[in-house]
Amino acid sequence: MAPPKPSQATFRILDRPDLPVRRIAAGNPIIVQGAVGAEMFLLKKGRAEIRVGAEEVEEIGPGDIFGEMALIDQSTRSATVVAVEDCEVVALGERQFVELIQDAPYFALDVMRTLVERLRSMNRRI
């Protein structure tokens, strides 16, 4: 049996007034593969595509997160995320990420589940 999909309600805890909302017009990149990343994001509104090279690997919608890998390992972005529709995203830096993990441990578990789900999906592709 497949593991349960992370609860989007948990990721909605990122939708807080102390974290500003960024607006991205359809067709524009939100993050770019190879760029240095210091934030992860909650997609608050709209739809976006996660692309590795020229290949779309996942489409995400409201309540989904992305950019968590570069935040966790302080490395470059492993994928590009492009707004398919006009989007609103909430950015979370490392300090806020650590605070949130301390305050809501299940948030960390859901981030790990998202990572594992994406890794397994990529493994099936290769």
Side-chain angles (χ1 to χ4, degrees), residues 51-95:
R51 299 177 183 168
V52 175
E55 183 181 354
E56 178 188 338
V57 295
E58 186 177 351
E59 184 171 297
I60 57 175
D64 288 326
I65 61 166
F66 61 96
E68 70 285 345
M69 287 175 52
L71 175 66
I72 291 169
D73 71 1
Q74 300 176 342
S75 188
T76 57
R77 300 287 186 192
S78 62
T80 295
V81 179
V82 176
V84 175
E85 302 173 347
D86 289 346
C87 291
E88 291 184 1
V89 298
V90 175
L92 184 72
E94 184 176 14
R95 181 182 56 79

Side-chain angles (χ1 to χ4, degrees), residues 88-119:
E88 291 184 1
V89 298
V90 175
L92 184 72
E94 184 176 14
R95 181 182 56 79
Q96 292 106 345
F97 181 72
V98 171
E99 289 172 1
L100 194 54
I101 289 172
Q102 291 171 342
D103 294 343
Y106 284 99
F107 167 75
L109 185 58
D110 283 343
V111 170
M112 287 186 273
R113 285 181 176 144
T114 297
L115 284 165
V116 169
E117 183 180 312
R118 289 179 176 157
L119 178 59

Side-chain angles (χ1 to χ4, degrees), residues 11-24 30-31 38-46 60-68 71 77 87-93 96-97 100 107:
F11 293 136
R12 291 183 196 274
I13 65 175
L14 294 176
D15 189 5
R16 307 177 346 194
D18 62 322
L19 298 173
V21 174
R22 296 181 191 165
R23 290 169 179 75
I24 297 91
I30 304 170
I31 61 175
E39 299 170 309
M40 67 175 282
F41 299 89
L42 167 73
L43 185 57
K44 186 174 175 177
K45 281 187 178 178
I60 57 175
D64 288 326
I65 61 166
F66 61 96
E68 70 285 345
L71 175 66
R77 300 287 186 192
C87 291
E88 291 184 1
V89 298
V90 175
L92 184 72
Q96 292 106 345
F97 181 72
L100 194 54
F107 167 75

